[in-house]
Amino acid sequence: MAERDPELAVEASPEVLGADRSKGVTWAELMAQDSVPPPSFLREESYTYRGSEPIPVERYISEDFARLERERMWPYVWQFAAREEDLPEPGDFIVYENAGRSYLVSRQDDGSIRAMHNVCLHRGRKLRTEEGTADKFVCPFHGFAWNKDGSFNSMPCQWDFPHLSEQKLDLPDAEVARWQGYVFIREEKGGPSLEEFLAPLPDHFKRWRHEECATVMRVAKEVPANWKVVMEAFMEAWHTIVTHPQLLPFTGDSNAAYWTWGDNVNVNLVPFGVMSPHIEEGQGEQWIVDQFIRFNGRSADNYEEAARDNPMAIKVPEGVKARAALGAAMRSAYTQSTGYDHADATDAELLDALVYNVFPNFSPWGGFMPNIVYNWRTGKTPDTCIMEVRILSRIPKGQPIPRGAPLKFLRLDQKWTEAAELGILGDVFEQDMDNLPFVQEGLHVSKTGKINLGNYQEIRIRQFQDTLMKYIGGELGGWKQD
């Protein structure tokens, strides 16, 4: 354990070190007040103190460490690559690139999905650089061709390659698994199944049925910071106090719950419809609602051009809490708009940011609102990355799932606000961008070479770092020291 200043704190057991919580209403108290009894997994705390040692900055800035990630971690983990609606028809494919690899993820005639390495086996050109539809992948350089399942098709001047048998020219493939409309790939086959890797996520998400949803907005941006720096900024809510002050009137930032399960899964449960404990004096329940509908960023009307009336724009009845009033309005609105009965939906599932993370880089929001899905991919250097944001919306009962919205990509020099479809979320992300490039710069010039984490509010980051080092050390994954 890191040394502790005896003037600031006394040595304590791990249970005591992980026991401190913010003042104000707790997550457990909110669940007890919910208009509808919440499911057990939203009530049962799952927290384990993991130590207070600092994290070395080399993990964020070193090319040597990035190489270890590429060799020892990325090939052995399930990576979220696409949604089913991104490639709904036979022949549809997307290009997924991360950590020095490029894949073609292609829908087959029988509805299955295959993934193969996106590299010509002749002279190494990428076969495709953009998503599209094709029954055959023909290399634009010399015309070597492969079928959409990765099997070899043909090549010009085959007489000149007697040393290459067709059986050895199939594209190397990756393992594919699917869950609730999400498509995952794993470079090296074997290891835990996707369901085992995601546990307990599948049990929690049964209620929220993401397979009934479709991508209605999708934006990615190159960011001048390491992928872990950017991802970890979205793994805790208490930066809201300084970075997103406009959210404080309706966000219980440091009242949020932080839970972890095993090596791979954690959640940040952030209550909405309640004031931050950092606001000393509010302006009443109606004010909370007014600020919520103005700045929350998850209202369906932020993503649907045809939307006219915001169901959150309500008048709070006398003697009713803003959270309960919003929950009742959303319960009715979602039932009406989707055709699915939401009578058993809790206030938390209708309002709150139920932000899950799956190791290493997949973050789907739970609940019944339009769901945000984040993922982060490595950049060309340890100092850059790609952050992608999707919005999933539930498709009305009985209607087919439409093709997913196309990707809008923002360059390094562009702002999130240039993606108008993000609505107020673009402004929120730009507030984050006011910090993240300077975090990356600060890590490079750090005198101590270390960063420090809170015991509770940053436990998700601690779990992520612990799991990452298990892969680097060979405890998890397939890498073994010679």
Side-chain angles (χ1 to χ4, degrees), residues 357-477:
N357 271 72
V358 176
F359 186 86
N361 63 332
F362 172 53
S363 180
W365 286 35
F368 290 108
M369 289 190 70
N371 294 87
I372 299 173
V373 181
Y374 301 131
N375 73 292
W376 300 267
R377 304 191 297 278
T378 63
K380 296 178 181 178
T381 74
D383 294 324
T384 62
C385 73
I386 303 297
M387 176 175 171
E388 184 174 315
V389 182
R390 291 173 182 256
I391 300 294
L392 302 186
S393 188
R394 193 168 307 280
I395 303 306
K397 191 174 184 178
Q399 293 188 15
I401 301 294
R403 182 179 290 271
L407 173 68
K408 181 170 188 175
F409 189 87
L410 301 172
R411 301 183 308 272
L412 199 64
D413 61 342
Q414 292 181 286
K415 293 182 178 295
W416 286 102
T417 48
E418 294 183 44
E421 56 266 48
L422 283 170
I424 197 67
L425 278 178
D427 297 281
V428 175
F429 293 156
E430 276 306 307
Q431 290 176 317
D432 292 307
M433 295 303 110
D434 287 341
N435 293 322
L436 299 179
F438 300 106
V439 171
Q440 191 69 22
E441 291 181 17
L443 294 172
H444 275 282
V445 299
S446 170
K447 173 67 173 177
T448 66
K450 301 174 182 177
I451 67 170
N452 293 289
L453 300 175
N455 291 336
Y456 182 67
Q457 294 182 106
E458 290 166 339
I459 191 64
R460 304 170 77 208
I461 300 174
R462 179 76 64 183
Q463 181 212 35
F464 165 79
Q465 291 286 337
D466 287 350
T467 302
L468 174 62
M469 295 312 296
K470 287 182 179 180
Y471 279 93
I472 298 301
E475 183 179 346
L476 293 175

Side-chain angles (χ1 to χ4, degrees), residues 96-107:
Y96 173 74
E97 297 187 315
N98 185 39
R101 292 284 188 258
S102 181
Y103 302 91
L104 294 167
V105 183
S106 174
R107 179 78 70 176

Side-chain angles (χ1 to χ4, degrees), residues 67-108:
R67 175 181 55 80
L68 293 177
E69 291 178 348
R70 292 192 297 269
E71 294 175 355
R72 303 183 184 183
M73 186 271 286
W74 287 112
Y76 303 103
V77 296
W78 286 107
Q79 300 180 48
F80 165 54
R83 286 275 304 173
E84 297 266 5
E85 65 269 18
D86 296 339
L87 54 165
E89 301 296 331
D92 288 345
F93 69 90
I94 61 102
V95 176
Y96 173 74
E97 297 187 315
N98 185 39
R101 292 284 188 258
S102 181
Y103 302 91
L104 294 167
V105 183
S106 174
R107 179 78 70 176
Q108 304 301 302

